[in-house]
Amino acid sequence: MGETVIPLADLRYAAPVPAIPAQPIPATGLLADALGRPLRDLRISVTDRCNFRCSYCMPKEVFDRDYVFLPQSSLLSFEEITRLARIFVAHGVQKIRLTGGEPLLRRGIEDLVAMLSQALPAVDLTLTTNGSALKQKAQALFDAGLRRVTVSLDSLEDATFRAMNDADFPVAKVLEAIDGAAAAGLAPVKINMVVKRGTNDHQVVDMARHFRGTGHVVRFIEFMDVGATNGWRMDDVVPSAEVVRRIDEAFPCEPTNPNHFGEVAKRWRYKDGAGEFGIISSVTQAFCSSCNRARLATDGSIYTCLFAHEGYDLRSLLRGGASDEEISRAIAAVWQGREDRYSELRTAETARARKVEMSFIGG
Ligand code: SAM
């Protein structure tokens, strides 16, 4: 592969939805993709902006002052998001995660939470945040109907954390936000740590120690080759097996059963009863065969794989006056045509291929 830099704008191209098959698809109903995988989980990116510049996600050199984020008019409104969410739920979605970018930067995010939780009370609604605004927002989010939250935290050491978020944001504030979330009633609080060799992997056992016995669940995530800008190298990946080995040496642990089919994190529990942690091993133990996730990007396009380079444009349907039934059939056509299994096919070559950025597609 050459060193050609693909303008990021090109990676936000969304194709029209595939031709709706002649064979009618029921307007609602459970869906299976081309490999038999159900649609259960929807991630919604509510903004492509973030106040952090984590090098593994939104490196400063790319997402700089000149970077053109989406204009407000391109973002789905809360009404549009809620309408689409209802249709996805009619097709089997049971869990919705609000993400981004940094979802708490979207003005009025608690209003969206209220709309979704009222429209879809049976759905497991959650949100992933960098925690920078969570302390102020936790109670409003809980009051609006959010019941749990995931907070990203890559280190307990202030210097390491500030360097990784590249925004000089202090770790103490995220720790306060985690306490604030728990005090507001959000439970469990899950903590995402992306483990990068030589950067923060020395913090694995400290993170496990810090959150053992708190009821919070740390999930150790392998550094992934998402997007096209984070300079991913296999050498920087710490395999989850190594993470488990290191924790087990300090705190003996054993695997435990998944909560449900398609759960992203593999669960481990401490033998002394001090709780559990999770590992997310997209690189070394791909879980494509149970992947039941669709992603609604910030601009209303739908993606069927985190590593995709192209989505399908639902916003044009929404804004072009399509009925719920037409949108429902379009979603069905996209899902039923889905064959993605990027992580199972990953090679050094594919890792360098053009892919949409995680901040846009929703992490
Ligand atoms: N801004 C929010 C946050 O920081 O949690 C939500 C968006 S962020 C893209 C969602 C999750 O993706 C975070 O936990 C982040 O650590 C993770 N993530 C981003 N880039 C990653 C990468 N290259 N490999 C593994 N995880 C990554």
Side-chain angles (χ1 to χ4, degrees), residues 43 49-52 54-58 97-104 127-131 150-154 191-195 219 221-227 230 232 306 358-360 362-363:
R43 303 204 170 181
R49 292 163 199 258
C50 188
N51 54 334
F52 283 11
C54 306
S55 62
Y56 56 73
C57 187
M58 292 183 77
R97 178 176 300 280
L98 301 178
T99 178
E102 171 46 42
L104 300 191
L127 178 149
T128 304
T129 172
N130 62 26
T150 299
V151 182
S152 300
L153 176 65
D154 294 328
I191 318 255
N192 278 359
M193 174 183 182
V194 176
V195 184
R219 291 122 51 94
I221 306 178
E222 288 179 349
F223 172 39
M224 295 184 288
D225 50 330
V226 287
N230 69 7
W232 183 86
L306 180 55
M358 197 170 184
S359 49
F360 165 73

Side-chain angles (χ1 to χ4, degrees), residues 122-189:
V123 164
D124 176 15
L125 179 63
T126 183
L127 178 149
T128 304
T129 172
N130 62 26
S132 59
L134 182 61
K135 190 176 170 201
Q136 301 87 303
K137 294 245 176 203
Q139 193 62 56
L141 290 166
F142 181 84
D143 293 345
L146 195 72
R147 289 294 168 263
R148 59 195 191 85
V149 73
T150 299
V151 182
S152 300
L153 176 65
D154 294 328
S155 177
L156 294 166
E157 287 175 348
D158 195 50
T160 307
F161 184 67
R162 285 179 195 252
M164 286 187 81
N165 65 56
D166 213 3
D168 206 25
F169 198 87
V171 72
K173 289 207 167 167
V174 179
L175 292 171
E176 276 174 29
I178 291 170
D179 291 345
L186 296 167
V189 179

Side-chain angles (χ1 to χ4, degrees), residues 204-223:
V204 162
V205 174
D206 286 348
M207 284 282 279
R209 179 181 296 109
H210 186 86
F211 289 107
R212 268 167 48 83
T214 62
H216 308 332
V217 180
V218 186
R219 291 122 51 94
F220 299 92
I221 306 178
E222 288 179 349
F223 172 39

